[in-house]
Amino acid sequence: MAAVQWRSRGRNYEAELQRCHPEVALVEFGDYHPLKPIMVTDTKTRRGARKGSTSSSSSSSSSVPPDPLSSMLDGTDPLSMFAAASANVVFQDLGRKRREKEEEAVGPDFEPWSSKRGEILARFTTTEKLSIVTAVVSVGKAPSPGSSAVSEKVRTRLEELDDLEEGSQRELLNLSQQDYANRIEELNQSLKEAWASDQKVKALKIVIQCSKLLSDTSVIQFYPSKFVLITDILDTFGRLVYDRIWTMCSDPRPLPDSFTVEDVNDTAKETCLNWFFKIASIRELLPRLYVEAAILKCNRFLNKSGIQETLPRLTAMIRGIGDPLVAAYARAYLCRPLLTEMMERCKKLGNNALLLNSVMRAFRPEFVAIRATDFIGMIKDCDEAGFPKHLLFGSLGRSLACADPPESERLTILNEAWKVVTKVRSPQDYINCAEIWVEFTCRHFTKREVNTVLADIIKHMTPDRAFEDAYPQLQSVIRKILTYFHDFSVLFSMERFLPFLDMFQKDSVRVEVCRSIMEVFIKHQVELTRDPVILNAMLHICKTMHDSVNALTLEDEKRSLALLIIGFIRMVSFGRDFEQQLSFCVEARATFCNLEPVLVQLIHACAAYSFITIPSLSSIFSRLSLYLLSGQVALANQCLSQADAFLKAAVSILPEVPRSISVEGKLRSSESFLLDFINNFLATLLVVPDHPEHGVLYLVRGLLNMVQDYTWEDNSDAKVRVYISALPLLAAMSQETYLYSIPKVDSNETLYGGDPKFLSEINKLCETLIGQILDHLKALGRDEKVAAGSRLIRTSGLTRRQGAVAFSLFGVLLAHGDLRNNKLSQLAVNLWNLSHKHGYCETRISVRTLESIKHQAQQPNMTHLSDTVQRLTLQSRT
């Protein structure tokens, strides 16, 4: 092959960048608008037409309403249907609005029962077989007409209720949990259907029968889920009755939200009273109790006091239930949404700490927080002997940690609570309660109050080294403080914060606490700092982590600690006060000498000492990377001689790179790491000016000489890949304006100013490198023939390598070479053919490459590529 005459093509980087921007497409807004409705055409074909007839099709748009006369009637008068539906919608809408008003009256902090329902059903399950007893419910006969029709109707309904208790029943056995739930759901649906068909007695029978099921505790672990399923039916019944009576009062106009007994008409009152009479006639205690509790709200239609008079009576009735579990759940159903009423009863009863504690832990934090002052008053009235007050304040503190009490009451709440907490003698009981209230203090108060709390904890936990048994609680205190205090100048200005840290005497715990502080600092410290308070405290914390490192410390642990310390060092800046910065770095280097990654970071900051310190590192790639990085930093700061020394040092140690290195405990080839480094090094050389005493391109030549002499792996193409990577650098160096530069640093573009001798040296070096690459391709071809002739090895590996190298060189020639040169153009075509000769080149990439060349050929001064692309053909493997 004849010698190649290299010539780099001229590049206009600005114009190339502009061509990469996406084109703007004009949109005809007359035909398109993003908010224009989409017209969907639905084509329907008639089926089942008479034999011989032609099937017809109709097309309609979804935006056009269908013709009501075209639909088939089912025998119902459409006007009556419309009127009934309208009335139903009106009543449903009124009921919905009323329920929404009731929910608003309760408040957004109230947790509805429905939110706990799913959790209970998922938690309390069983694999045992269940049974359910149901009554055969029949529809009652209509009373005969006449003057006694009303009394006859009442008598008939009472007889039906008696029939329920004495009549036929059937028992379903061996039901799984799912079968049981399905059966209960069927009863719920039957209740709704009976009510809708005006069979009120049947609906009541269903509710009574379901209530009786709550007396069965044979499968005790399933009882909570049974309670949820059956109370759903009771709730449905209670809602239906209430809505029925409320609707009767809404004619001719709806009841106001705050209606009184005077607003209820006589018919509604009579109906409501009849329901209570029917329920009072139920013989068994349990169903009578549950059904009356279900319609408890209906008392509002009958008297001004509402449920205030009825609630004590129902509570007393529960005493007649023999089974304590059944009685407990009956009480739960009675007081399920009634926090205010329960608090009033607690106030009246007095000394009911256990009930008060259950209330605070059962209801939502928001519901408790808004009444925190009332709870504190009740806690103070409780007897200390029955249930310790610090446990009550602990339960209150948990709620206040999740929800905010009124702002005007917060300080009073904290003072009252801490008066009790600080008097607890047992260190374990004290810290259990104090740890809860720390979050409330941090959430709503300043460092003054938090510092006071920390001082009190230190006072209680220091005697007899009580803190040694409370590390989890003390760690929780630190976590809560760090959650709310992200300004470390404020945090470290607390007088008792560092003494609090001194209580962590156990090494592993102390390091874990220091780690948590560092993680928060790195996450939330945005601005660089020189605050001496922060620096002294953080150096103390980092030194604690560093000093925990020993010969047994795992590498992952060392790496993790080093990253945290490095994160702190990066946030320290003394601005233009370089001596202070250097003094800090020297102190840090002496403090953190056992962690090599921290040393690496300090070397970055101490450029003056980098050149001396880098050789002491054991890792060859750490040395290479730091030499290169230090050279880049020196260039950025216009330190040309120092940059030159760093880069020459990097080139000089390339022969020391071993052929394999240990990565995460495994031995791996170093070739890929070395290639990455060399590519980064070549990219830096574009902006490095030549030394006046060492000749043209002396760093590039020195690097290539080292690559030439390096002992690469057998059957490796790494050396020629470095040569291929060097060609774009040399082509970039021959441009009048470089692709990138460093401010205030004159690169070779300024030093040589496009001097012909400089360009000639670049072209000669390029031709030498291309010659070396072509020789390598020939050698691969010869090895392939020898291997094929001897049939010793498969030749696919050699041909694949040859094709890959050829295609890489083709890409460089296409991007950086001047293909108007016939010899260079012919070389590109030959490389294309060689890369596709054995069919190992990926067709998709080849097609895209051809499309790219065709696109480039349309640009000004690139039309010569049209001839070249005509000579490039795709070949398949034969």
Side-chain angles (χ1 to χ4, degrees), residues 37-140:
I38 300 174
M39 305 294 289
V40 180
T41 301
D42 180 22
T43 303
K44 298 181 179 179
T45 303
R46 249 196 223 159
R47 298 181 183 237
R50 287 182 307 175
K51 187 175 180 180
S53 64
T54 304
S55 61
S56 61
S57 63
S58 62
S59 177
S60 64
S61 172
S62 62
S63 62
V64 180
D67 181 9
L69 298 180
S70 63
S71 59
M72 297 183 63
L73 297 177
D74 58 357
T76 306
D77 180 8
L79 297 180
S80 301
M81 291 174 59
F82 178 75
S86 299
N88 190 27
V89 169
V90 169
F91 285 121
Q92 288 180 356
D93 187 57
L94 290 174
R96 178 181 57 80
K97 291 182 178 179
R98 175 182 54 74
R99 285 191 291 272
E100 290 176 354
K101 292 290 184 180
E102 290 176 355
E103 292 174 0
E104 291 175 1
V106 175
D109 54 359
F110 179 74
E111 184 178 21
W113 173 252
S114 58
S115 64
K116 291 185 176 293
R117 180 182 185 277
E119 179 184 350
I120 295 174
L121 290 175
R123 180 179 178 184
F124 298 98
T125 60
T126 183
T127 56
E128 295 186 32
K129 295 302 180 179
L130 305 169
S131 62
I132 183 171
V133 179
T134 59
V136 181
V137 181
S138 59
V139 180

Side-chain angles (χ1 to χ4, degrees), residues 492-510:
F492 291 130
S493 64
M494 296 183 193
E495 296 179 0
R496 312 310 298 171
F497 184 76
L498 291 180
F500 186 89
L501 294 182
D502 292 338
M503 289 195 294
F504 295 99
Q505 298 290 318
K506 189 176 180 180
D507 291 342
S508 59
V509 178
R510 183 169 65 248

Side-chain angles (χ1 to χ4, degrees), residues 397-410:
R398 289 188 185 92
S399 295
L400 298 184
C402 302
D404 300 334
E407 186 174 359
S408 59
E409 302 175 6
R410 293 172 185 172

Side-chain angles (χ1 to χ4, degrees), residues 574-585:
F574 291 87
R576 302 297 296 177
D577 191 346
F578 296 121
E579 291 195 6
Q580 273 290 94
Q581 188 78 38
L582 180 60
S583 176
F584 169 79
C585 291

Side-chain angles (χ1 to χ4, degrees), residues 295-308:
I295 66 167
L296 195 60
K297 288 195 302 181
C298 295
N299 281 279
R300 189 179 177 190
F301 296 109
L302 299 176
N303 52 65
K304 296 180 179 180
S305 60
I307 65 173
Q308 295 301 325

Side-chain angles (χ1 to χ4, degrees), residues 551-764:
L552 301 178
T553 305
L554 299 176
E555 288 299 323
D556 288 344
E557 178 70 9
K558 290 182 181 179
R559 189 181 304 110
S560 176
L561 295 176
L563 289 175
L564 293 175
I565 297 175
I566 289 172
F568 159 64
I569 293 173
R570 287 176 175 172
M571 298 306 300
V572 178
S573 174
F574 291 87
R576 302 297 296 177
D577 191 346
F578 296 121
E579 291 195 6
Q580 273 290 94
Q581 188 78 38
L582 180 60
S583 176
F584 169 79
C585 291
V586 170
E587 180 183 359
R589 183 175 181 272
T591 304
F592 309 126
C593 58
N594 290 335
L595 294 173
E596 186 170 313
V598 179
L599 292 179
V600 172
Q601 177 61 32
L602 291 170
I603 290 171
H604 294 172
C606 303
Y609 299 92
S610 294
F611 195 78
I612 300 173
T613 310
I614 290 175
S616 66
L617 300 177
S618 59
S619 171
I620 181 65
F621 282 103
S622 294
R623 282 185 278 159
L624 285 171
S625 299
L626 285 173
Y627 275 132
L628 177 58
L629 182 59
S630 300
Q632 293 169 343
V633 171
L635 278 174
N637 290 275
Q638 301 90 46
C639 301
L640 300 184
S641 59
Q642 289 87 344
D644 191 72
F646 281 124
L647 297 178
K648 284 197 297 184
V651 173
S652 66
I653 65 171
L654 282 178
E656 300 177 19
V657 176
R659 296 176 64 174
S660 60
I661 58 174
S662 177
V663 178
E664 298 181 352
K666 297 181 180 180
L667 205 61
R668 292 181 55 183
S669 171
S670 64
E671 189 171 279
S672 61
F673 298 94
L674 183 57
L675 288 177
D676 289 341
F677 169 78
I678 292 176
N679 287 332
N680 291 334
F681 194 90
L682 289 171
T684 303
L685 292 182
L686 178 62
V687 295
V688 178
D690 283 341
H691 196 283
E693 299 178 2
H694 295 148
V696 178
L697 303 176
Y698 84 100
L699 279 175
V700 178
R701 295 179 187 275
L703 175 64
L704 295 176
N705 289 336
M706 286 295 180
V707 171
Q708 176 70 27
D709 297 336
Y710 183 78
T711 304
W712 299 94
E713 294 183 8
D714 298 333
N715 301 319
S716 171
D717 303 321
K719 180 168 67 175
V720 296
R721 292 201 172 276
V722 173
Y723 293 162
I724 293 175
S725 298
L727 291 175
L729 167 66
L730 297 171
M733 284 182 168
S734 65
Q735 305 299 319
E736 294 182 1
T737 303
Y738 283 4
L739 179 59
Y740 49 85
S741 61
I742 297 178
K744 301 181 182 180
V745 174
D746 293 332
S747 302
N748 286 338
E749 61 175 333
T750 304
L751 295 181
Y752 294 107
D755 185 80
K757 293 183 179 179
F758 176 68
L759 298 179
S760 177
E761 289 292 329
I762 290 177
N763 291 338
K764 289 180 181 177

Side-chain angles (χ1 to χ4, degrees), residues 717 721 777 780-781 784 796-810 831-842:
D717 303 321
R721 292 201 172 276
L777 290 173
L780 289 176
E784 174 193 357
S796 60
L798 296 173
T799 56
R800 189 185 298 273
R801 287 170 52 197
Q802 187 186 51
V805 173
F807 195 77
S808 297
L809 181 56
F810 168 80
L831 290 170
W832 173 272
N833 293 334
L834 180 60
S835 64
H836 291 74
K837 179 179 179 181
H838 299 285
Y840 288 115
C841 192
E842 190 172 347

